[in-house]
Amino acid sequence: MIRYKITIETLSPIHIGCDEVLSPVEFVIDSEERKLIKFSLFDLLGALSLEEKNELDRISNKKDPSALVDLYKFYAYRLKDKIKKLTNIKKYEIPYELAKRYDEVLRLTSDEILQNFNNFEIPRTYFNPLTEQPIIPGSSLKGALRTGYLEFLLKKNENNPSIREIIERVNNINLQTRRREINEIIETLEKELLNYSRPSEDPFGALKISDLNPIFPIETKILYRVNVSKQKGETRGRLTLPIEVIPPGAKFEGILEIKAETENLKRNPVKIEMSNLIEGVWGHFREILKNEYDLAKNIGFKIFGLHESHKMDIKERKVILIKLGKHSGAEAMTIDKIRKILIRREGNRTEYQASPTTIWLASEQKKNISQAMPFGWALLRFEKIM
């Protein structure tokens, strides 16, 4: 078995979905401080007066959706100061526009507040429920590595007749091709490249990655996810929603292991060689970064910079650039030369293209993207454990 200590340093905001949200029933917003304050209802109950407990009980016993409106106002107008003094609260830095919108919604009618309620449900990034600290799941990293490695193998074997035949099948995919058939073609290509027929024979089964935990405590923040046209630089307002992100500069560590051959892998000539893995992943994401640099110049968003020491480490392949998580873009999760991305046009028209027409950015503002950054960029470092 070969073991590596792996370290990830975030270069741009990252969001890894976990089906959890920050709900308006468990937070208030202090618009002056521009902070979202998450609290435990159990802790809050211990700090309430009898009158306040009775009011909370009255609201809780209401049988219609207006209870949410009453609770929303009760927190904001009556309990905010008490909530701020609780011991186990968590504060998130939020955009100015979100704080302003919170105050505006409070002044609306009950029906209007209810219509806006779901817009204040903020998707959380993957986290440890015991510590509330963000985590990068090993499965997310493994998926990124697998994509880069498959692209490496495809470029190396694209003149192989059986591979070329599958590429032709991918190129012939059209809107009449059923999703099941598309998945079968992609699965066939993966099996051909990795030389396996059953899941137990997949060489990536020998690669194990632990979840990556923070090296130091991390303060996540709330930003807007903004969908921007690559051609015009215009934002699509209806898709602009707040989201929890891991900020740039956060550091995580974990363990990567490549296990010794199993019986199922002994006859498979495809082995996960670390040098090929690193080269393949770097090649995949280098092209994406180059395209994003060009795009940033054209439509005016922000791209991270690299220290000279990082540039040297990348040159020597001690570290590589990768993209992780949700909103990191279809290019990051798909393989060059067989990329088929479904594009929705005006008038409900759809078509397949090799590149998406929009990019997701993490932004403090809904429309001004001058300081916005693409989601997902990070540095990945490997250190062999002797």
Side-chain angles (χ1 to χ4, degrees):
M1 179 188 297
I2 305 172
R3 302 180 80 231
Y4 292 83
K5 175 185 174 184
I6 49 175
T7 307
I8 283 180
E9 180 179 350
T10 59
L11 297 172
S12 72
I14 291 178
H15 173 88
I16 299 174
C18 64
D19 296 325
E20 295 273 349
V21 297
L22 292 167
S23 167
V25 301
E26 61 178 354
F27 70 73
V28 292
I29 287 178
D30 188 317
S31 44
E32 291 183 4
E33 291 186 13
R34 275 182 52 193
K35 297 283 187 181
L36 181 150
I37 305 165
K38 180 181 177 296
F39 61 90
S40 159
L41 182 57
F42 182 80
D43 291 341
L44 179 61
L45 287 171
L48 297 184
S49 67
L50 180 60
E51 179 189 355
E52 289 164 339
K53 286 180 180 177
N54 288 337
E55 176 62 10
L56 187 59
D57 189 53
R58 181 193 70 78
I59 294 171
S60 301
N61 286 323
K62 291 187 74 172
K63 303 298 183 184
D64 59 80
S66 67
L68 292 174
V69 177
D70 290 351
L71 190 64
Y72 189 74
K73 291 185 173 183
F74 186 48
Y75 285 164
Y77 292 136
R78 295 273 303 277
L79 301 183
K80 185 184 294 183
D81 289 339
K82 281 194 173 180
I83 289 170
K84 289 166 68 175
K85 292 176 183 176
L86 294 174
T87 305
N88 295 318
I89 57 175
K90 182 176 181 181
K91 292 186 177 182
Y92 297 82
E93 184 181 332
I94 62 172
Y96 167 77
E97 290 178 52
L98 180 60
K100 182 181 176 184
R101 183 58 183 160
Y102 184 83
D103 285 346
E104 289 173 350
V105 170
L106 281 169
R107 294 192 289 271
L108 298 176
T109 66
S110 292
D111 286 346
E112 289 171 324
I113 290 175
L114 205 55
Q115 290 169 15
N116 281 271
F117 199 81
N118 287 343
N119 290 338
F120 283 102
E121 286 193 338
I122 301 172
R124 296 204 64 180
T125 193
Y126 201 94
F127 67 100
N128 182 333
L130 297 178
T131 64
E132 289 283 322
Q133 283 288 289
I135 289 174
I136 295 180
S139 56
S140 292
L141 177 55
K142 187 173 180 178
L145 297 182
R146 184 183 179 93
T147 299
Y149 193 67
L150 284 168
E151 186 171 299
F152 168 81
L153 292 176
L154 180 62
K155 288 176 179 176
K156 186 178 175 181
N157 295 283
E158 61 183 310
N159 290 324
N160 179 303
S162 60
I163 297 296
R164 200 161 58 239
E165 181 186 339
I166 299 171
I167 293 174
E168 279 294 318
R169 290 176 64 193
V170 173
N171 290 334
N172 290 329
I173 288 173
N174 56 46
L175 293 176
Q176 281 68 51
T177 311
R178 291 179 298 175
R179 172 53 55 185
R180 181 179 175 183
E181 185 180 344
I182 295 172
N183 291 340
E184 287 174 353
I185 295 171
I186 301 302
E187 185 179 338
T188 300
L189 179 64
E190 289 194 18
K191 287 180 175 180
E192 191 72 27
L193 290 171
L194 293 170
N195 195 52
Y196 73 92
S197 56
R198 294 175 295 182
S200 61
E201 298 169 348
D202 183 345
F204 264 83
L207 189 147
K208 306 294 182 184
I209 305 177
S210 71
D211 289 344
L212 286 86
N213 292 294
I215 297 175
F216 303 107
I218 296 168
E219 289 191 12
T220 56
K221 62 190 299 184
I222 309 299
L223 292 175
Y224 286 111
R225 62 166 204 188
V226 182
N227 195 243
V228 183
S229 165
K230 288 184 177 182
Q231 186 174 8
K232 300 179 180 179
E234 297 173 346
T235 62
R236 300 169 69 184
R238 64 186 180 84
L239 298 177
T240 302
L241 295 171
I243 192 170
E244 182 189 17
V245 300
I246 303 166
K251 293 183 179 181
F252 299 80
E253 63 181 8
I255 298 293
L256 180 148
E257 297 177 346
I258 301 178
K259 292 191 172 184
E261 286 184 333
T262 64
E263 285 297 319
N264 287 325
L265 295 177
K266 273 186 177 179
R267 290 181 296 277
N268 190 340
V270 178
K271 313 294 181 192
I272 306 297
E273 298 289 346
M274 203 63 185
S275 58
N276 289 340
L277 182 67
I278 289 172
E279 203 59 40
V281 173
W282 168 230
H284 173 70
F285 289 107
R286 178 181 54 209
E287 288 303 308
I288 294 170
L289 180 61
K290 181 181 179 296
N291 292 337
E292 288 190 6
Y293 264 110
D294 293 341
L295 184 61
K297 290 178 184 176
N298 291 337
I299 64 176
F301 58 85
K302 186 178 177 182
I303 290 282
F304 58 86
L306 289 171
H307 299 303
E308 287 304 316
S309 61
H310 287 152
K311 292 178 182 178
M312 184 58 68
D313 285 345
I314 289 172
K315 188 175 181 180
E316 296 175 359
R317 298 294 185 270
K318 293 179 181 177
V319 300
I320 54 175
L321 284 160
I322 58 168
K323 262 196 148 190
L324 295 166
K326 201 170 182 180
H327 307 309
S328 58
E331 295 104 322
M333 298 179 288
T334 53
I335 300 169
D336 190 27
K337 297 185 182 296
I338 60 161
R339 195 170 279 136
K340 288 281 188 177
I341 298 168
L342 189 64
I343 306 296
R344 300 189 184 281
R345 301 290 190 185
E346 291 182 6
N348 291 324
R349 291 187 303 110
T350 56
E351 63 182 8
Y352 281 112
Q353 286 191 185
S355 178
T357 57
T358 63
I359 184 172
W360 286 102
L361 301 177
S363 179
E364 286 275 358
Q365 300 180 55
K366 289 184 174 183
K367 293 187 177 180
N368 183 349
I369 61 169
S370 61
Q371 296 302 305
M373 297 181 76
F375 279 93
W377 283 109
L379 283 168
L380 175 62
R381 182 182 296 272
F382 299 89
E383 295 178 49
K384 193 170 182 179
I385 300 172
M386 305 304 291

